[in-house]
């Protein structure tokens, strides 16, 4: 295939022209040639070296070829005629082996020598291969050229014999997901392994990444995020499975490695041209050698390497301007870098990302979500200019936002309507979001749940429903899932004008949402919402990833609603719960081991004393909850401290959590001459029942053996006062900022009954209270009668609640200290590295781990 | 930016939504943040309010909430947000080929021996 094509000269005889040699028959190399020909067709005698044995094709369209939506012929950019028509010599299938700058020649692998006056390097990039065992097995492919596509198609074909076959794609970026989509359409069972927690994390935020993952899973792909490949397993020299670092093994007939690309700089580097990550070029795409140009994915321009196609076009224009400049006109301005945008080429998934959506000072997010239609739009505005956009589900306005972004247009006039898109924002309509609602037809549906049209809502308002609650009560609009609340409020504002106060009675969870705690909790259960980004999408959160108020609340609500199913989101927890210790003002931690019912023994006391000595803890203190608190422990020492305490049989005391803290007891009938029951024994049993449970807020229990109440049970969340005839169960006490004595809940005869009611009461509190609401304000808010009704009206209620609590506890009573001591989440405790300036001029960075 | 850059290691060491620390001998400890938007920032690990370790706070958007008293600190500028006033020094950071680099002179800025260089 390396025979040169025939040459037809025209214009300046070829022999008299400058010789331009192009290394790379890809998109950048050929586009650069096209741009040069368009400006000055007679200037150069052009020779193109291509490593692949075929004509130039559109590499970014390989995904549709894999998916069967296009054939190879459809994606050819320049067929053989283009080369002949333009007198270009194409040397395909003979990769360049060396550049000799001294003699200004290029030497092919076949030994062919081609002299140049100007050389253009357009070698593109190479797929990055992760260095794991098995990477060289047959069946491990990349996704870069047509040969790769052929291998994938062959695997899919072979798989048809046994039910489709299995494919693993390593890398959940743009390319990996397109490969996965294609293989899936070809009938393979596809698993995507992605190291980061969010798909396409370079282009998408958490919210859009979640929507994408949910859609791909719905289509039958298995998406494993946060998954690290350990090894590619082979059988008879061919891949058979992929093994993850957590031990999981996924069967694979083919493995596609799509974790990223690296600029192909080998030839340039060997020739002594300046190379960093890419081949260094100036604004005219000239390398450190003035006779050598470079363009495309192989270059580094102003510190940036690009992996998308749009910047290549800009580069090629700048290159051609400079390479054909005669000196008669103004000097070309050159290439100034590109702002990039991305679209995913997966049919049926609309996704757009452009610019910078990391925010910044003064940057503001405008977020619009439409759960019913699966839409998430986020536009980032700074200094009245669009600086970034992420769109999922509806990308019609992607190019418009991107255009505003690139031009840097002042959007202050259209700001209010910006998120609704171009049609609305530049439609000349009054620029007010209410106007969009006003423009809706009378029969347009406002509330999907209850089938209420705009006309009916307006009629209800005209009939006297002047508030949101009144509308909900009359025509039922927004009375179910509440996602149309904003629309109903707009209709109230439009219909009533100034008479509409616009204020909702409910207190929202935080500024990110218009929903209150009760609605959020109810909707999580009703709609079966099981992840934080899903809640934010379905309930129309107005921020991309929430705030320090709503994230911990949602994490708790999900944990409470879906025990055993919901995976705790560590990054949504306050520091104490993440570190399983209490942060102190100097940044060190205090550690409280559990002492059941306040009892301890010599072994535990020795272990605590040893820890104090070994880690130089400056203080040990007896707490109000009858425990020992060890102060001044550094975060990096915590796992070692816990290991020592575990060794003596002690587990986490949860003194740091919105959870059961302690069960305080008095000595009771076993020792005390006044004791009526075994209060210590009951306290120990209650602590074994309740420890480890996450709650809306901290939760304290005490058991006193007689009404003298030495354990101070009447200022606890749940208190037991033992009397001769049984046990008085008290709830809602608090000894904190606002002192509140407990209310008597009921009196029972046996320990077993006391424990059952304790479990039921805790579960009622867990399911109904707002996050960060202690039992005292909760009972003040809902009333003791409400609590009593919830427990006692239905004779089955106690058992149902207690059963739900026990089920939840079956997943919770797992000592978190033991896991950390065994090495889990070690990065939370270790420094990243340490900087040690040894000498004035030398600095070493010591890596930890 | 011109200057020497210190290689702090691969980006994968910090999960999104988390931060990790970099003690500097003779200088102030640095916290390196990885946001949910996949951006990286470096700040002195000390809240301008009462020197709380910002690395231990909840990260949302490009803001960290100090674990001690819930001050919100901008990761980009180090400025306290809202009603609170104060600022913590930031350290220029760049990510290149999957590795994190910090501007050397900013890392050791507070160090007398390094300043003598």
């Amino acid at each position: 295939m390396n025979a040169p094509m025939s040459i037809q000269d025209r214009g300046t005889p070829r022999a008299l022209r400058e010789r331009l040699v192009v290394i790379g028959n890809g998109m950048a190399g050929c586009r650069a040639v096209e741009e040069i020909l368009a400006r000055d067709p007679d200037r150069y005698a052009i020779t193109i070296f291509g490593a692949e044995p075929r004509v130039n094709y559109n590499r970014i369209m390989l995904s549709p070829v894999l998916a069967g939506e296009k054939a190879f012929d459809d994606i050819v950019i320049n067929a053989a005629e283009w080369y002949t028509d333009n007198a270009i010599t194409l040397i395909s299938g003979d990769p360049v082996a060396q550049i000799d700058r001294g003699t200004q020649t290029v030497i092919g692998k076949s030994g062919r020598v081609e002299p140049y006056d100007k050389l253009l390097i357009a070698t593109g990039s190479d797929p990055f291969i992760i260095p794991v065992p098995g990477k060289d097995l047959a069946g491990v492919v990349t996704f870069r050229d047509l040969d790769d596509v052929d291998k994938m198609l062959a695997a899919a074909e072979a798989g048809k014999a046994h039910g489709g076959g299995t494919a693993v794609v390593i890398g959940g970026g743009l390319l990996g997901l397109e490969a996965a989509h294609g293989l899936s359409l070809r009938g393979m069972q596809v698993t995507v392994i992605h190291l980061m927690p969010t798909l396409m994390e370079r282009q998408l935020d958490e919210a859009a990444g979640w929507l994408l993952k949910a859609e791909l899973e719905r289509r039958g792909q298995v998406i494993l995020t946060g998954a690290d490949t350990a090894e590619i397993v082979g059988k008879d020299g061919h891949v058979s499975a992929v093994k993850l670092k957590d031990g999981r093994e996924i069967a694979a007939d083919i493995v596609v490695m799509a974790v990223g690309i690296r600029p192909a700089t080998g030839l340039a580097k060997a020739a002594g041209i300046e190379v960093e990550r890419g081949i260094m070029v100036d604004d005219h795409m000239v390398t450190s050698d003035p006779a050598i140009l470079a363009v495309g994915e192989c270059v580094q321009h102003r510190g940036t390497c690009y992996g998308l196609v749009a910047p290549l076009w800009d580069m090629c224009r700048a290159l051609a301007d400079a390479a054909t400049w005669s000196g008669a006109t103004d000097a070309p301005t050159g290439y100034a870098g590109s702002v990039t945008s991305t679209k995913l080429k997966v049919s049926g998934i609309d996704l757009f990302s452009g610019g910078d959506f990391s925010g910044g000072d003064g940057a503001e997010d405008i977020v619009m979500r439409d759960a019913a239609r699966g839409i998430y739009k986020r536009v980032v505005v700074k200094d009245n200019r669009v600086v970034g956009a992420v769109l999922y589900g509806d990308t019609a306005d992607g190019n418009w936002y991107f255009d505003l972004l690139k031009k840097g247009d002042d959007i202050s006039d259209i700001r209010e309507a910006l998120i609704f898109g171009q049609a609305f924002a530049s439609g000349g309509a009054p620029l007010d979001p209410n106007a969009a609602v006003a423009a809706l037809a009378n029969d347009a549906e406002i509330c999907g749940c209850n089938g209420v049209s705009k006309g009916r809502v307006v009629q209800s308002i005209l009939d006297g429903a002047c508030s949101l609650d009144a509308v909900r009560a009359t025509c039922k609009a927004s009375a179910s899932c509440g996602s149309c609340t904003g629309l109903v409020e707009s209709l109230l504002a439009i219909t009533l004008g100034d008479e509409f106060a616009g204020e909702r009675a409910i207190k929202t969870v935080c500024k990110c949402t218009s929903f209150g705690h009760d609605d959020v909790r109810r909707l999580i259960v009703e709609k079966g919402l099981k992840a934080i980004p899903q809640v934010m999408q379905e309930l129309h959160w107005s921020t991309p990833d929430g705030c320090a108020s709503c994230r911990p609340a949602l994490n708790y609500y999900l944990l409470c609603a879906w025990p055993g199913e919901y995976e705790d989101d560590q990054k949504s927890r306050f520091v104490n719960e993440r570190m399983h210790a209490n942060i102190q003002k100097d940044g060190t931690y205090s550690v409280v081991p559990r002492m059941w019912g306040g009892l301890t023994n010599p072994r535990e006391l020795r272990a605590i004393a040893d820890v104090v000595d070994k880690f130089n803890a400056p203080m040990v203190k007896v707490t109000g909850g009858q425990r020992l608190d060890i102060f001044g422990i550094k975060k990096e020492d915590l796992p070692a401290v816990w290991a020592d305490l575990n060794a003596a049989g002690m587990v986490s005391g949860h003194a740091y959590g919105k959870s059961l803290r302690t069960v305080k007891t008095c000595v009771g009938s076993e020792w005390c001459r006044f004791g009526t029951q075994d209060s210590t024994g009951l306290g120990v049993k209650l602590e074994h029942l309740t420890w480890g449970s996450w709650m809306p807020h901290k939760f304290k229990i005490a058991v006193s053996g007689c009404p003298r109440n030495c354990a101070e049970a009447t200022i606890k969340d749940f208190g037991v006062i033992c009397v001769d005839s049984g046990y008085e169960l008290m709830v809602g006490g608090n000894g904190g900022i606002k002192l509140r004595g407990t209310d008597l809940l009921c009196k029972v005869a046996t320990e077993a009954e006391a424990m059952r009611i304790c479990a039921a009461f805790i579960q009622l509190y867990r399911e109904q209270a707002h996050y960060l609401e202690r039992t005292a304000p909760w009972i003040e808010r809902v009333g003791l009668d409400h609590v009593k009704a919830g427990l006692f009206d239905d004779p089955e209620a106690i058992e149902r609640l207690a059963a739900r609590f026990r089920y939840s506890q079956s997943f919770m009573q797992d000592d978190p200290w033991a896991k950390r001591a065994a090495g889990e989440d070690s990065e939370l405790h270790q420094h990243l590295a340490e900087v040690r300036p040894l000498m004035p001029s030398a600095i070493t960075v010591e890596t930890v781990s | 930016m011109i200057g020497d850059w210190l290689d702090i290691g691969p980006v994968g060491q910090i999960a999104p939504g988390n931060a990790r620390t970099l003690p500097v001998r003779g200088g102030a400890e640095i916290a390196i943040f990885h946001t949910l938007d996949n951006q990286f920032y470096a700040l002195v690990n000390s809240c301008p309010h009462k020197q709380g370790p910002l690395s231990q706070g909840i990260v949302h958007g490009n803001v960290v909430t100090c674990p001690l008293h819930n001050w919100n600190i901008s990761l980009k500028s180090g400025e306290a947000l809202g009603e609170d006033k104060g600022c913590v020094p930031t350290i220029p950071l760049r990510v290149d080929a999957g590795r994190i680099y910090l501007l050397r002179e900013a890392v050791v800025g507070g160090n007398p021996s390094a300043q003598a260089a």
Side-chain angles (χ1 to χ4, degrees):
Chain A
M1 283 292 285
N2 60 358
M5 297 192 177
S6 66
I7 296 161
Q8 281 179 348
D9 279 353
R10 25 162 231 203
T12 313
R14 190 179 160 91
L16 298 180
R17 300 183 193 172
E18 285 180 72
R19 290 164 299 185
L20 172 66
V21 173
V22 181
I23 307 176
N25 187 33
M27 302 183 67
C30 288
R31 183 59 168 254
V33 168
E34 285 179 0
E35 293 283 352
I36 289 170
L37 291 173
R39 284 163 181 73
D40 190 349
D42 296 337
R43 176 134 179 184
Y44 293 105
I46 300 172
T47 303
I48 300 178
F49 277 86
E52 282 184 66
R54 51 182 74 90
V55 294
N56 167 243
Y57 61 92
N58 188 343
R59 201 179 292 283
I60 64 170
M61 299 307 277
L62 283 173
S63 298
V65 172
L66 177 64
E69 289 155 2
K70 285 201 177 346
F72 178 68
D73 286 346
D74 298 332
I75 69 166
V76 168
I77 299 174
N78 293 309
E81 300 79 49
W82 176 76
Y83 297 90
T84 39
D85 289 354
N86 291 291
I88 296 165
T89 308
L90 172 65
I91 304 167
S92 59
D94 187 8
V96 172
Q98 193 197 335
I99 301 167
D100 186 338
R101 292 163 63 206
T103 58
Q104 293 211 337
T105 53
V106 167
I107 300 147
K109 203 174 169 190
S110 65
R112 177 194 185 98
V113 176
E114 199 68 37
Y116 67 84
D117 298 305
K118 263 211 181 353
L119 178 66
L120 171 58
I121 305 177
T123 43
S125 58
D126 296 322
F128 181 69
I129 308 290
I130 52 170
V132 291
K135 67 182 167 57
D136 299 318
L137 286 166
V140 179
V141 303
T142 57
F143 188 19
R144 186 67 192 159
D145 59 30
L146 195 65
D147 295 335
D148 295 327
V149 172
D150 286 341
K151 285 178 201 157
M152 285 188 245
L153 293 179
E157 193 58 37
K160 279 183 184 161
H162 48 275
T166 51
V168 169
V169 176
I170 303 177
L174 196 63
L175 206 57
L177 294 182
E178 291 185 3
H181 172 66
L183 289 167
S184 178
L185 284 187
R186 296 285 182 176
M188 300 194 88
Q189 173 55 51
V190 181
T191 303
V192 177
I193 296 172
H194 191 52
L195 185 60
M196 305 304 272
T198 305
L199 291 176
M200 288 179 66
E201 76 284 347
R202 288 161 67 108
Q203 291 89 16
L204 301 184
D205 57 12
E206 190 192 29
W210 178 83
L211 283 167
L212 176 61
K213 179 168 180 260
E215 172 60 21
L216 294 174
E217 285 170 340
R218 200 189 58 75
R219 293 176 175 209
Q221 294 181 26
V222 177
I223 311 283
L224 304 177
T225 49
D228 201 355
T229 306
E231 181 185 350
I232 301 173
V233 186
K235 198 174 150 193
D236 306 326
H238 193 280
V239 60
S240 64
V242 173
K243 202 175 196 171
L244 300 181
K245 285 199 177 147
D246 62 14
R248 278 181 289 181
E249 201 168 305
I250 302 129
D253 299 327
I254 187 165
V255 172
V256 182
M257 223 180 276
V259 291
I261 53 169
R262 277 187 168 170
T265 57
L267 279 174
K269 203 180 255 178
I273 297 167
E274 204 182 318
V275 170
E276 279 185 7
R277 255 182 314 141
I279 302 168
M280 304 291 280
V281 292
D282 66 11
D283 289 356
H284 305 290
M285 314 316 290
V286 180
T287 68
S288 59
D289 179 335
I292 302 180
L293 312 170
V295 73
E297 290 179 347
C298 62
V299 309
Q300 179 176 338
H301 173 262
R302 297 192 188 177
T304 304
C305 298
Y306 294 94
L308 295 165
V309 76
L312 308 194
W313 301 163
D314 296 336
M315 289 182 199
C316 289
R317 277 192 288 275
L319 177 139
D321 284 344
T324 58
W325 185 51
S326 60
T329 52
D330 287 347
T333 51
Y335 172 64
S338 301
V339 190
T340 54
S341 70
T342 310
K343 275 184 179 172
L344 183 70
K345 288 183 296 302
V346 169
S347 49
I349 295 181
D350 293 320
L351 193 162
F352 173 92
S353 152
D356 174 14
F357 48 88
S358 63
D361 294 316
E364 211 179 320
D365 288 308
I366 307 176
V367 174
M368 193 188 89
R369 301 178 191 248
D370 182 339
R373 292 193 294 145
I375 290 172
Y376 169 73
K377 291 180 172 188
R378 174 181 176 196
V379 177
V380 187
V381 172
K382 186 174 181 179
D383 300 330
N384 289 323
R385 278 162 181 82
V386 174
V387 295
V390 184
L391 310 175
Y392 186 95
D394 175 5
T395 53
D397 287 305
N399 290 335
W400 181 61
Y401 291 127
F402 194 53
D403 200 44
L404 288 173
L405 184 159
K406 282 193 292 188
K407 288 184 183 152
D409 286 350
D410 188 318
I411 51 90
S412 42
D413 288 347
I414 54 170
R415 194 178 189 295
E416 291 299 311
L418 187 68
I419 197 72
F420 297 106
Q422 183 177 20
F424 184 67
S426 29
L431 296 175
D432 169 357
N434 284 342
V437 182
L440 290 172
N442 254 347
D443 59 357
E445 188 174 81
I446 297 293
C447 174
C449 299
N450 296 308
V452 188
S453 68
K454 177 184 166 188
R456 262 194 68 205
V457 177
V458 171
Q459 195 53 51
S460 294
I461 298 168
L462 293 174
D463 290 346
C466 301
S467 68
L468 187 63
D469 283 341
V471 170
R472 286 175 174 174
T474 49
C475 72
K476 292 273 184 293
S478 82
S480 293
C481 87
S483 65
C484 61
T485 302
L487 291 174
V488 174
E489 283 183 327
S490 283
L491 287 174
L492 279 160
I494 296 162
T495 315
L496 297 175
D498 292 341
E499 287 171 47
F500 177 53
E503 280 168 27
R504 273 180 236 177
I506 51 158
K507 196 172 165 292
T508 64
V509 173
C510 65
K511 62 178 175 22
C512 304
T513 175
S514 57
F515 285 104
H517 287 272
D518 291 329
D519 284 334
V520 169
R521 297 206 73 166
R522 177 176 56 82
L523 291 165
I524 282 174
V525 176
E526 273 180 22
K527 289 170 156 264
L529 308 179
K530 297 189 177 173
I532 290 176
Q534 188 184 17
V535 176
M536 292 180 174
Q537 173 67 17
E538 294 293 322
L539 304 188
H540 305 88
W541 240 243
S542 64
T543 49
D545 55 13
C547 69
S549 294
C550 60
R551 287 197 78 101
L554 292 181
N555 190 51
Y556 169 70
Y557 291 155
L558 289 164
L559 200 65
C560 178
W562 314 110
E565 204 176 334
Y566 174 69
E567 196 181 331
D568 203 324
D569 184 38
Q570 288 290 308
K571 62 183 181 295
S572 298
R573 284 195 173 272
F574 290 122
V575 55
N576 289 357
E577 295 184 348
R578 213 178 325 127
M579 302 302 283
H580 296 288
N582 291 52
I583 196 164
Q584 303 298 324
K585 62 184 280 188
D586 65 350
T588 64
Y589 290 82
S590 82
V591 170
V592 181
R594 193 165 290 285
M595 291 175 173
W596 308 97
L599 300 180
T600 185
N601 58 47
R603 185 174 173 227
E604 290 180 354
L605 291 170
R606 279 194 191 95
I608 290 170
D610 287 344
V611 161
V612 172
D613 279 344
K614 184 171 165 186
F615 296 92
N616 289 314
M619 186 168 90
V620 190
K621 189 186 175 302
V622 179
T623 71
Q626 302 181 334
R627 305 297 144 97
L628 287 171
D629 197 347
I630 310 165
F631 283 84
I633 303 294
K634 294 193 197 76
K635 74 172 178 190
E636 42 294 18
D637 288 336
L638 286 171
V641 167
W642 295 332
D644 288 359
L645 295 172
N646 278 164
M650 282 181 282
V651 298
S652 165
H654 290 80
Y656 48 81
K658 313 297 175 210
S659 59
L660 185 272
R661 291 286 176 90
T662 59
V663 180
K664 188 174 180 177
T665 64
C666 69
V667 288
S669 58
E670 204 182 341
W671 296 88
C672 179
R673 63 203 164 100
F674 299 113
T676 61
Q677 308 282 358
D678 178 14
S679 53
T680 327
L682 176 57
V684 171
K685 285 179 201 157
L686 281 172
E687 191 155 350
H688 277 287
L689 172 74
T690 56
W691 80 283
S693 60
W694 294 110
M695 310 254 200
H697 208 309
K698 59 185 170 188
F699 194 97
K700 298 179 178 180
I701 297 178
V703 186
S704 284
C706 78
R708 286 168 190 78
N709 193 13
C710 294
E712 298 165 336
T714 49
I715 52 162
K716 301 301 178 198
D717 295 280
F718 185 85
V720 181
I721 306 284
C722 301
V723 291
D724 270 331
S725 56
Y727 306 83
E728 290 175 0
L729 306 184
M730 321 289 291
V731 295
N734 194 318
I737 297 172
K738 194 173 170 217
L739 187 67
R740 184 180 194 274
T742 46
D743 296 312
L744 177 66
L745 185 67
C746 63
K747 190 178 159 194
V748 296
T750 64
E751 269 194 357
E753 192 64 7
M755 291 180 60
R756 220 159 66 92
I757 290 180
C758 176
F761 172 75
I762 287 179
Q763 188 63 14
L764 192 71
Y765 168 62
R766 294 183 77 232
E767 290 177 3
Q768 294 196 355
H770 298 170
Y771 189 64
L772 296 185
E773 186 175 48
R774 289 287 296 270
T775 54
W778 171 56
I779 290 175
E780 295 275 314
R781 179 169 63 82
V782 301
L784 183 65
D785 288 344
H786 170 86
V787 174
K788 282 185 171 171
L791 291 170
F792 304 123
D793 275 6
D794 176 351
E796 309 286 315
I798 295 274
E799 188 42 45
R800 277 202 305 266
L801 284 162
R804 286 209 290 278
F805 182 66
R806 288 192 298 267
Y807 178 70
S808 167
Q809 286 295 80
S810 67
F811 304 101
M812 300 291 181
Q813 296 194 324
D814 197 4
D815 179 27
W817 287 1
K819 292 188 223 159
R820 292 287 172 92
E824 189 182 277
D825 296 326
S826 61
E827 73 282 356
L828 292 179
H829 299 281
Q830 289 171 347
H831 292 301
L832 191 56
E834 192 181 345
V835 181
R836 297 177 188 153
L838 296 174
M839 297 184 344
S841 59
I843 300 175
T844 58
V845 177
E846 186 105 339
T847 311
V848 181
S849 86
Chain B
M1 195 167 308
I2 309 294
D4 283 351
W5 294 85
L6 285 178
D7 183 348
I8 307 303
V11 294
Q13 298 177 108
I14 312 174
N18 282 303
R20 293 190 66 186
T21 45
L22 183 73
V24 179
R25 211 172 267 191
E29 183 168 286
I30 292 167
I32 303 174
F33 294 86
H34 185 179
T35 70
L36 294 172
D37 278 347
N38 206 36
Q39 302 295 313
F40 290 83
Y41 299 100
L43 272 66
V44 167
N45 189 24
S46 175
C47 182
H49 177 215
K50 298 213 166 164
Q51 290 71 56
L54 297 173
S55 61
Q56 309 292 74
I58 291 181
V59 177
H60 47 103
N62 59 343
V63 175
V64 62
T65 302
C66 177
L68 291 194
H69 307 97
N70 293 329
W71 276 36
N72 285 315
I73 307 297
S74 160
L75 294 174
K76 269 200 169 167
S77 66
E79 298 267 5
L81 302 173
E83 297 299 300
D84 300 318
K85 295 282 169 273
C87 188
V88 55
T90 59
I91 291 90
L93 175 153
R94 70 184 173 98
V95 172
D96 195 350
R99 297 187 76 83
I100 300 168
Y101 296 85
L102 297 181
L103 189 66
R104 183 193 141 180
E105 61 190 51
V107 171
V108 295
N111 186 283
S113 65
Q115 272 177 347

